[in-house]
C-alpha cells in the first residue's frame, strides 16, 4: 500500500511540478488597474505629507514674521527692531535702524528720565549730522505732548514729520501698542465634543466594515489654557487638555489568529487598533475559529498640549479671540470592554491596551474664544473648537485613523 | 535560475515595464501552481492576481538571499492558504468506506493522463485534502509544518493526506475503467 501511495505522490509531482499555463489577459489588466490605484494612493499620501509639512512651516513662518515685523514685543524691554519707511527710500542704502529699547519711550509715560534720554539721543544725532535725515523716534514725534522732550536746535518738529511716512492715525495706534503691557490669562473649561475619524486603508472593505460597526458616542474634554497676550491683538496660547472619546461597537464576528506570543486568540479589530481576546471558558481556539461578540465599548483618553496663535478683537465687555495652531497628543489609554459568551458561559473581557495604537500623534486645532468680561480680571468664556489629526493614531492596523472632533466648551478666564 | 536583479530593481522603483516583464516571466509557472490549490480556473486567477499584487507591493522586502522564484512561489502558496484558513474547510469531509476503495487493486495508470487531467483530479479534491496534498507533495512540508500553517492538528493533516491519496486513486480507477471501456 505504501508503495502505491508514494507512487501516486511521485506521479503527480513529476506530472505537475513543472506545469505551466498562461493565465487570461484579464489577470494582467486587473493587476495593472490595481497597481495604478496603488500608485495614485501612494502619490496622495506623499502629498498629504507635504501638506502637513507646509502647514507646520506656515505656522512657524507666521510666528517668525509677526515677531520680526515687531507686532509682538515681549515686554517693554524686548529688543525688537523697527525700521522707518524712510529707510526704504534711502538712495545711499544706509541703514537707519534704531532699537525700540533705545529710541522709543517705554511704557510709563511719566518716566521723565527715559524721555530725556530719548530726547538727548535725537539731539546728538542731529547735531552730529545735520544734513542727513535722522532716524526719528516716536518719542521725538510726540514731543509736543510729552514734557521733557525738545526738538533739536537745527530742525523743528515739522521737519521731523517730513522725514517719516507714518500718518498721525497710524502713529497713535503704534504708540498705543507700544504702551501695551503684556499679561497672562488662564482659562479653565469643560467641553462637549462630537468626535469622528477619517480612515485610510489599502482595503476599502476594511474601512466600510469598521464604519459600519463603530459609532462615536458623545465625548468630552477638560483643561486649562494659558494665554500670553503679547500685544493688544496677538497672543500665544498653550495649556493642558484631557480628552475622553467613547466609541460604541456593534456585535461582530471575530476570528482566531496566532498572536505575537504564539498563542491562538480571537482578533478584535477597532479603528484605533486591535486586541487578542482569550475567553476564560471553552476549549483553546484554533486558527480560523470564529466567535461572535456582543456589543462593546471602546474608550480613548488623550492628554493634549496645544500651541496656538491667537488674535483678539474686543470692545469693553465682549472680546472674540480666534486662533489656530498645532497640538501634541499623548494617548494615555485605549481600552476595550467587550462581552463574549457561548451557550453556557458569559464573560466581560476588558483589554487595557490595544495593539497597533500609537502613543503620540499631531493634530491641527482652530478655535474662537468668545469672552464676556465680568470685570477687569474675570470673564466668562465660550469656546467652539475644531481639531483634526495630521498624523495617524494607528500603526500596523488594517486602517490608518485620523480622529477629528468639534467641541463646544464653556469656562472662566482669569487675567493676571 | 539566475536572480533577475535588474527586473527586481526596476520593480522596486515601480517601473511598469519591469513589472510587466516580471509578470510575463513568472505568471505561467505560478498559474500552474495556483491551479493546483484552487477549485477552478477562476479561483486560480484570483489567487494569481492577489499574489502578484503582493509581490509588487513587497518586492523591496526580498533580501536576495534565496531564490527569487522560491520567494514568489511562497507568496502564491500563502495567498492560496489564506483562502482556506477557516478550519471547517480543513476537516475530513468524506469517509473512505463510502468510497469502497482498496489501493492494492489499483495500478499506476496516471501516466496515461495528461497534465490537465491531473490538475482536474486535484481540483476535484475537497479543499482540506487538496491543500494538504499540495503542501506535502509539491512544497515538501512535513505534517508538523502543515498543522502549523493551517492551524490544524498533525493527526488531521495525516488523515487528510491519506484520504486525498485514496480519493485520487479511486478517481484514477474510474478514469481507467472509462478509458478501457472506450478502447473496447
Amino acid at each position: 500500500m505504501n508503495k502505491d501511495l508514494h507512487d501516486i505522490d511521485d506521479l503527480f509531482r513529476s506530472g505537475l511540478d513543472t506545469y505551466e499555463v498562461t493565465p487570461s489577459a484579464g489577470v494582467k489588466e486587473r493587476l495593472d488597474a490595481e497597481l495604478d490605484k496603488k500608485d495614485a494612493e501612494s502619490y496622495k499620501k506623499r502629498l498629504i505629507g507635504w501638506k502637513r509639512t507646509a502647514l507646520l512651516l506656515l505656522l512657524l513662518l507666521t510666528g517668525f514674521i509677526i515677531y520680526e515685523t515687531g507686532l509682538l514685543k515681549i515686554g517693554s524691554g524686548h529688543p525688537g527692531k523697527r525700521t522707518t519707511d524712510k529707510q526704504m527710500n534711502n538712495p545711499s542704502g544706509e541703514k537707519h535702524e534704531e532699537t525700540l529699547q533705545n529710541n522709543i519711550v517705554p511704557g510709563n509715560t511719566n518716566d521723565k528720565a527715559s524721555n530725556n534720554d530719548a530726547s538727548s539721543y535725537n539731539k546728538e544725532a542731529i547735531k552730529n549730522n545735520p544734513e542727513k535725515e535722522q532716524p526719528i523716534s516716536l518719542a521725538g514725534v510726540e514731543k509736543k505732548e510729552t514734557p521733557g522732550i525738545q526738538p533739536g536746535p537745527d530742525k523743528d518738529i515739522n521737519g521731523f514729520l517730513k522725514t517719516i511716512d507714518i500718518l498721525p492715525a497710524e502713529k497713535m495706534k503704534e504708540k498705543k501698542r507700544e504702551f501695551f503691557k503684556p499679561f497672562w490669562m488662564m482659562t479653565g473649561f469643560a467641553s462637549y465634543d462630537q468626535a469622528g475619524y477619517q480612515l485610510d486603508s489599502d482595503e476599502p472593505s476594511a474601512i466600510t466594515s469598521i464604519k459600519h460597526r463603530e459609532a462615536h458616542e458623545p465625548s468630552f474634554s477638560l483643561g486649562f489654557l494659558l494665554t500670553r497676550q503679547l500685544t493688544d491683538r496677538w497672543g500665544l496660547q498653550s495649556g493642558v487638555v484631557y480628552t475622553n472619546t467613547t466609541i460604541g461597537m456593534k456585535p461582530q464576528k471575530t476570528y482566531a489568529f496566532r498572536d505575537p506570543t504564539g498563542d491562538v486568540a480571537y482578533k478584535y479589530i477597532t479603528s484605533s487598533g486591535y486586541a487578542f481576546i482569550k475567553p476564560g471558558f471553552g476549549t483553546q481556539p484554533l486558527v480560523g475559529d470564529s466567535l461572535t461578540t456582543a456589543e462593546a465599548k471602546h474608550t480613548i483618553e488623550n492628554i493634549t498640549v496645544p500651541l496656538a496663535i491667537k488674535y483678539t478683537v474686543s470692545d469693553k465687555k465682549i472680546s472674540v479671540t480666534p486662533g489656530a495652531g498645532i497640538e501634541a497628543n499623548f494617548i494615555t489609554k485605549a481600552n476595550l470592554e467587550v462581552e463574549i459568551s457561548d451557550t453556557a458561559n458569559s464573560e466581560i473581557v476588558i483589554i487595557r491596551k490595544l495593539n497597533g495604537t500609537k502613543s503620540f500623534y499631531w493634530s491641527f486645532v482652530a478655535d474662537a474664544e468668545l469672552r464676556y468680561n465680568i470685570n477687569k480680571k474675570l470673564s466668562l468664556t465660550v469656546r467652539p473648537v475644531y481639531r483634526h489629526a495630521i498624523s495617524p493614531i494607528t500603526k500596523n492596523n488594517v486602517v490608518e485613523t485620523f480622529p477629528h472632533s468639534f467641541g463646544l466648551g464653556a469656562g472662566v478666564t482669569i487675567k493676571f | 535560475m539566475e536572480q533577475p536583479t535588474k527586473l527586481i530593481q526596476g520593480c522596486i522603483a515601480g517601473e511598469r515595464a519591469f513589472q510587466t516583464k516580471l509578470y510575463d516571466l513568472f505568471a505561467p509557472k505560478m498559474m500552474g501552481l495556483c491551479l493546483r490549490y484552487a477549485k477552478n480556473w477562476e479561483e486560480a486567477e484570483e489567487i494569481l492576481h492577489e499574489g502578484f499584487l503582493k509581490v509588487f507591493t513587497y518586492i523591496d522586502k526580498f533580501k536576495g538571499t534565496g531564490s527569487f522564484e522560491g520567494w514568489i512561489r511562497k507568496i502564491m502558496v500563502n495567498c492560496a492558504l489564506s483562502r482556506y484558513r477557516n478550519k471547517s474547510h480543513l476537516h475530513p469531509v468524506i469517509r473512505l468506506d463510502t468510497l469502497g476503495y482498496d489501493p492494492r487493486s489499483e495500478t499506476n495508470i496516471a501516466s496515461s493522463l495528461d497534465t490537465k487531467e491531473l490538475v482536474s483530479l486535484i481540483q476535484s479534491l475537497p479543499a482540506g485534502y487538496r491543500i494538504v496534498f499540495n503542501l506535502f507533495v509539491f512544497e515538501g512540508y512535513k505534517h508538523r509544518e502543515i498543522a502549523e500553517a493551517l492551524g490544524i492538528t498533525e493527526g488531521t493533516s495525516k488523515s487528510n493526506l491519506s484520504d486525498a491519496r485514496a480519493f485520487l486513486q479511486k478517481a484514477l480507477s474510474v478514469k481507467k475503467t472509462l478509458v478501457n471501456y472506450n478502447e473496447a
Side-chain angles (χ1 to χ4, degrees):
Chain A
M1 178 178 174
N2 283 341
K3 187 177 179 303
D4 291 331
L5 294 178
H6 287 148
D7 282 350
I8 204 163
D9 288 0
D10 290 341
L11 180 101
F12 276 90
R13 196 181 293 121
S14 59
L16 292 177
D17 206 20
T18 54
Y19 177 50
E20 291 187 15
V21 58
T22 307
S24 64
V27 179
K28 183 69 174 65
E29 284 167 14
R30 278 195 295 141
L31 193 62
D32 282 340
E34 287 276 352
L35 290 170
D36 286 343
K37 197 173 146 194
K38 271 183 181 286
D39 285 349
E41 279 168 7
S42 159
Y43 177 76
K44 193 176 147 194
K45 274 182 187 172
R46 278 204 300 272
L47 204 64
I48 288 172
W50 280 111
K51 277 183 186 172
R52 286 174 193 158
T53 311
L55 180 68
L56 193 65
L57 286 174
L58 186 69
L59 285 169
L60 290 172
L61 189 64
T62 308
F64 179 74
I65 289 169
I66 290 168
Y67 179 84
E68 281 297 305
T69 52
L71 283 172
L72 299 184
K73 292 183 286 296
I74 304 168
S76 58
H78 179 68
K81 287 182 177 175
R82 180 172 298 282
T83 306
T84 62
D85 291 346
K86 192 67 188 175
Q87 278 181 272
M88 302 295 287
N89 301 323
N90 186 348
S92 67
E94 263 188 86
K95 288 184 178 176
H96 296 290
E97 287 191 347
E98 56 187 356
T99 63
L100 295 174
Q101 170 89 16
N102 293 329
N103 297 326
I104 294 178
V105 175
N108 185 353
T109 52
N110 296 323
D111 190 343
K112 197 172 178 180
S114 297
N115 288 344
N116 286 336
D117 288 348
S119 174
S120 58
Y121 172 87
N122 288 327
K123 282 179 193 172
E124 280 299 312
I126 295 159
K127 270 183 186 176
N128 294 339
N129 203 349
E131 295 307 312
K132 282 192 175 178
E133 290 172 349
Q134 296 300 320
I136 302 304
S137 78
L138 291 175
V141 170
E142 295 298 318
K143 180 258 163 193
K144 283 180 181 172
E145 297 167 19
T146 313
I149 296 180
Q150 300 297 323
D154 301 329
K155 292 200 176 191
D156 62 14
I157 189 69
N158 292 328
F160 286 115
L161 282 174
K162 282 179 188 170
T163 64
I164 58 172
D165 295 328
I166 299 174
L167 296 171
E170 288 170 339
K171 194 174 62 183
M172 290 302 290
K173 200 186 283 180
E174 196 73 19
K175 183 185 167 190
K176 189 183 168 190
R177 282 178 189 167
E178 278 149 15
F179 291 159
F180 174 84
K181 190 179 175 187
F183 61 88
W184 290 96
M185 282 190 296
M186 192 172 83
T187 303
F189 73 95
S191 173
Y192 166 88
D193 300 335
Q194 191 58 52
Y197 48 56
Q198 174 200 330
L199 301 178
D200 278 355
S201 175
D202 294 336
E203 300 171 35
S205 59
I207 295 176
T208 313
S209 166
I210 286 176
K211 281 189 172 172
H212 172 72
R213 63 177 185 251
E214 293 190 3
H216 279 85
E217 294 175 2
S219 305
F220 69 93
S221 49
L222 301 166
F224 71 86
L225 297 168
L226 205 56
T227 307
R228 177 68 170 170
Q229 199 64 37
L230 300 164
T231 72
D232 58 337
R233 297 278 191 220
W234 295 96
L236 276 178
Q237 189 178 69
S238 187
V240 179
V241 181
Y242 162 82
T243 306
N244 183 303
T245 307
T246 305
I247 300 172
M249 321 280 288
K250 289 180 184 168
Q252 61 178 286
K253 200 170 195 176
T254 59
Y255 291 93
F257 287 87
R258 200 167 291 282
D259 70 13
T261 62
D263 291 341
V264 176
Y266 296 101
K267 190 175 184 181
Y268 193 98
I269 299 170
T270 76
S271 56
S272 318
Y274 56 91
F276 285 100
I277 298 171
K278 295 172 190 168
F281 55 79
T283 54
Q284 175 73 17
L286 295 170
V287 172
D289 279 353
S290 67
L291 174 76
T292 302
T293 61
E295 284 182 351
K297 195 169 79 171
H298 171 40
T299 308
I300 307 166
E301 291 178 11
N302 290 337
I303 295 291
T304 298
V305 179
L307 180 63
I309 295 171
K310 312 289 287 186
Y311 183 83
T312 302
V313 181
S314 63
D315 68 4
K316 282 180 183 174
K317 278 288 180 189
I318 303 284
S319 66
V320 181
T321 309
I326 53 169
E327 293 180 322
N329 300 278
F330 303 88
I331 299 177
T332 53
K333 188 174 162 186
N335 77 350
L336 178 72
E337 191 175 316
V338 57
E339 186 179 350
I340 52 174
S341 57
D342 63 9
T343 48
N345 307 283
S346 178
E347 186 182 0
I348 292 176
V349 177
I350 298 174
I351 306 291
R352 299 282 175 202
K353 185 166 168 49
L354 291 179
N355 297 302
T357 307
K358 282 184 177 177
S359 56
F360 176 83
Y361 69 98
W362 290 102
S363 59
F364 163 80
V365 63
D367 69 349
E369 289 174 45
L370 180 66
R371 279 196 293 273
Y372 175 77
N373 301 320
I374 299 170
N375 55 43
K376 282 185 179 178
K377 294 281 182 192
L378 204 64
S379 54
L380 297 176
T381 303
V382 176
R383 179 179 179 250
V385 57
Y386 177 76
R387 50 172 67 96
H388 196 300
I390 52 177
S391 65
I393 63 166
T394 50
K395 59 182 176 186
N396 305 325
N397 197 18
V398 288
V399 291
E400 278 194 333
T401 304
F402 299 83
H404 55 74
S405 68
F406 178 78
L408 187 62
V412 177
T413 300
I414 302 166
K415 184 178 164 183
F416 56 94
Chain B
M1 187 184 184
E2 203 179 324
Q3 299 283 51
T5 314
K6 278 190 179 176
L7 270 184
I8 295 168
Q9 284 170 350
C11 291
I12 289 172
E15 296 283 341
R16 190 54 52 85
F18 285 96
Q19 289 173 339
T20 303
K21 274 186 186 174
L22 190 89
Y23 176 84
D24 291 342
L25 186 64
F26 290 104
K29 222 173 258 185
M30 296 307 143
M31 184 63 185
L33 179 148
C34 293
L35 276 169
R36 283 192 278 107
Y37 282 89
K39 63 176 182 285
N40 53 36
W41 179 272
E42 287 74 23
E43 193 180 62
E45 285 195 335
E46 280 177 28
I47 296 169
L48 186 78
H49 168 256
E50 198 181 323
F52 267 107
L53 203 58
K54 283 192 176 165
V55 166
F56 292 134
T57 306
Y58 299 108
I59 195 163
D60 57 324
K61 303 276 188 293
F62 175 65
K63 292 186 173 64
T65 46
S67 139
F68 183 61
E69 187 183 325
W71 184 74
I72 296 182
R73 190 184 174 97
K74 200 170 179 181
I75 287 178
M76 295 293 165
V77 170
N78 280 334
C79 284
L81 294 188
S82 66
R83 293 178 161 258
Y84 293 102
R85 282 211 170 96
N86 186 330
K87 200 181 67 167
S88 62
H89 287 295
L90 303 169
H91 274 175
V93 289
I94 53 173
R95 290 171 62 83
L96 280 180
D97 51 8
T98 62
L99 293 171
Y101 162 71
D102 178 6
R104 283 167 296 187
S105 66
E106 298 304 324
T107 55
N108 184 355
I109 64 145
S111 55
S112 63
L113 299 172
D114 68 10
T115 47
K116 274 189 182 175
E117 283 172 306
L118 289 178
V119 169
S120 171
L121 279 177
I122 293 180
Q123 287 181 337
S124 67
L125 285 169
Y129 297 174
R130 189 167 67 241
I131 301 297
V132 173
F133 184 77
N134 268 302
L135 291 176
F136 187 88
V137 175
F138 294 97
E139 312 306 330
Y141 278 40
K142 307 287 178 213
H143 283 296
R144 184 178 48 79
E145 293 167 324
I146 294 172
E148 178 78 14
L150 299 177
I152 58 177
T153 62
E154 277 189 56
T156 305
S157 174
K158 284 175 186 170
S159 159
N160 280 7
L161 179 66
S162 167
D163 289 354
R165 283 166 169 164
F167 189 96
L168 290 171
Q169 290 272 15
K170 176 71 181 172
L172 286 172
S173 167
V174 173
K175 287 259 181 198
K176 180 190 171 189
T177 311
L178 285 172
V179 169
N180 290 341
Y181 177 78
N182 287 336
E183 282 174 357

